[in-house]
């Protein structure tokens, strides 16, 4: 007689940085990325979140999930204090990471979404657990509560018919994700460490992964809906926004850091991407 068994599961679980905070009207957090997903929940005020692939504005009561290893910057809007809750979580299952990145990047979860009531209740339960000390029972409760959040996100994908990860898709996506990480690392070095910034070679970065240019193009078009070069340009310009917000920012210096041929070239590309010049953006940010 055949006996069925439950599967063997050996998963690494991570939770860190979970907290609730009220920040002043002029609050902003420098660009960063984490080895985990970040759940953001706005309780009061509004927040702008800029990532390497776009930006969203979160109203009070709304959520977003910032994907793993995605560079992002957060700002309070409206000239008033803002209260938010955030936590960083990760499970090391590649298929789950692939699905969460694919389906939640750049998405705002509002009261109109079917998962909203459950997600809000779970977030409020986690906030109620914040304290100075945690015993073993508390830690197990936290793990279960965070996994409940993940399950709510997964059930949403299943209900929408989007929970169909194929091994080939997962492997290809993770390779594409690694290439994107290589581009970010090279750009960071160029901006913050290189004595003389130079144009990055996408071809060299791709070749270092021992794949062809055509295959890299196929991966980026499939998962990012743009070429590696277009992704790099978007990444440079998202970084430019962060640099332009710094005190005493100078357009000429930022243009040089990003290895543009001239400030006018940088200005044209910035306006083409965002619909305004760097100077107009700087003025707007001072007003807001």
């Amino acid at each position: 007689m055949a006996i069925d068994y439950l599967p063997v599961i050996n998963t690494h679980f991570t939770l860190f940085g979970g907290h609730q905070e009220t920040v002043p009207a002029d609050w902003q957090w420098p660009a960063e990325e984490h080895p985990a997903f970040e759940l953001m929940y706005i309780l009061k005020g509004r927040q702008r979140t800029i990532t390497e692939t776009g930006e969203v504005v979160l109203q009070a009561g709304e959520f977003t999930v910032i994907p793993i290893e995605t560079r992002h910057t957060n700002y309070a809007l409206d000239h008033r204090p803002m209260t938010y809750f955030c936590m960083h979580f990760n499970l090391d299952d590649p298929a789950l990471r692939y699905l969460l990145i694919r389906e939640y990047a750049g998405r705002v979860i509002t009261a109109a979404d079917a998962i909203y009531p459950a997600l809000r209740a779970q977030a409020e339960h986690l906030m109620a657990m914040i304290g100075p000390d945690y015993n073993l029972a508390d830690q197990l409760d936290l793990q279960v509560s965070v996994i409940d959040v993940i399950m709510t996100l997964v059930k949403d994908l299943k209900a929408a018919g989007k929970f169909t990860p194929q091994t080939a898709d997962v492997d290809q996506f993770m390779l594409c994700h690694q290439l994107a990480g290589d581009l970010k690392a090279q750009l960071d070095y160029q901006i913050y460490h290189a004595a003389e910034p130079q144009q990055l070679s996408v071809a060299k970065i791709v070749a270092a992964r021992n794949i062809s240019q055509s295959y890299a193009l196929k991966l980026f078009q499939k998962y990012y809906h743009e070429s590696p070069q277009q992704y790099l340009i978007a990444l440079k310009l998202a970084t430019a926004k962060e640099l332009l917000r710094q005190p005493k920012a100078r357009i000429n210096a930022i243009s040089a850091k990003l290895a543009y041929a001239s400030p006018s070239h940088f200005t044209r590309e910035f306006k083409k991407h965002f619909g305004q010049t760097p100077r107009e953006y700087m003025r707007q940010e001072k007003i807001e």
Side-chain angles (χ1 to χ4, degrees):
M1 179 178 176
I3 301 176
D4 293 330
Y5 293 92
L6 291 172
V8 175
I9 299 175
N10 183 14
T11 298
H12 179 70
F13 173 87
T14 304
L15 168 66
F16 66 91
H19 70 286
Q20 179 180 334
E21 184 176 4
T22 297
V23 294
D26 59 351
W27 175 83
Q28 68 178 71
W29 196 257
E32 61 180 350
E33 56 189 82
H34 309 291
F37 294 90
E38 181 173 2
L39 179 75
M40 295 289 311
Y41 175 35
I42 307 305
L43 299 164
K44 293 182 181 178
R46 293 196 307 157
Q47 175 176 289
R48 175 189 293 160
T49 297
I50 300 176
T51 73
E52 60 207 42
T53 55
E55 62 181 86
V56 297
V57 172
L58 299 173
Q59 311 288 339
E62 295 181 342
F63 294 84
T64 195
V65 178
I66 301 171
I68 186 171
E69 296 174 351
T70 295
R71 179 173 298 148
H72 60 282
T73 310
N74 296 320
Y75 308 95
L77 296 177
D78 297 336
H79 298 294
R80 57 175 171 155
M82 181 185 77
T83 302
Y84 71 90
F85 168 72
C86 77
M87 68 173 187
H88 304 87
F89 66 89
N90 197 22
L91 289 172
D92 60 1
D93 181 84
L96 178 62
R97 291 168 68 178
Y98 160 66
L99 288 168
L100 293 181
I101 294 171
R102 186 189 71 183
E103 298 299 334
Y104 287 101
R107 177 177 169 184
V108 176
I109 300 170
T110 73
D113 289 289
I115 62 169
Y116 183 83
L119 194 59
R120 180 171 180 172
Q122 289 159 350
E124 290 175 351
H125 175 67
L126 284 162
M127 287 187 290
M129 295 175 68
I130 296 173
D133 299 299
Y134 303 94
N135 58 35
L136 178 59
D138 294 331
Q139 292 182 33
L140 290 172
D141 192 3
L142 280 168
Q143 289 188 58
V144 171
S145 298
V146 175
I147 289 173
D148 282 343
V149 169
I150 297 171
M151 278 304 302
T152 294
L153 299 173
V154 167
K155 286 177 180 177
D156 182 48
L157 300 185
K158 291 178 74 173
K162 297 178 178 179
F163 194 76
T164 55
Q166 303 295 320
T167 301
D169 275 340
V170 174
D171 291 344
Q172 288 177 353
F173 179 80
M174 296 313 296
L175 176 56
C176 189
H177 196 58
Q178 289 166 352
L179 280 170
D182 294 343
L183 290 170
K184 284 188 286 185
Q186 290 291 327
L187 181 62
D188 281 347
Y189 179 81
Q190 171 190 291
I191 294 172
Y192 300 111
H193 303 292
E196 298 226 357
Q198 298 181 354
Q199 287 288 348
L200 294 182
S201 171
V202 173
K204 287 183 179 179
I205 294 171
V206 169
R209 287 281 175 184
N210 297 313
I211 61 174
S212 68
Q213 302 299 311
S214 60
Y215 187 56
L217 176 61
K218 177 182 177 182
L219 291 178
F220 269 79
Q221 288 179 333
K222 180 176 181 179
Y223 297 109
Y224 290 112
H225 309 295
E226 59 188 352
S227 70
Q229 187 64 41
Q230 289 169 328
Y231 178 87
L232 177 60
I233 291 171
L235 186 60
K236 287 174 66 174
L237 293 173
T239 304
K241 275 191 168 183
E242 171 65 18
L243 296 173
L244 288 166
R245 290 182 64 98
Q246 302 307 309
K248 300 181 181 179
R250 291 170 49 241
I251 292 173
N252 287 4
I254 292 171
S255 171
K257 275 183 174 291
L258 295 172
Y260 280 96
S262 66
S264 60
H265 180 207
F266 167 56
T267 295
R268 285 195 303 273
E269 199 153 84
F270 191 96
K271 185 172 184 179
K272 179 181 177 182
H273 200 80
F274 297 120
Q276 59 185 165
T277 67
R279 198 167 302 281
E280 289 169 342
Y281 177 76
M282 293 171 74
R283 282 199 295 265
Q284 169 192 298
E285 293 304 301
K286 286 180 182 178
I287 292 172
E288 293 187 352

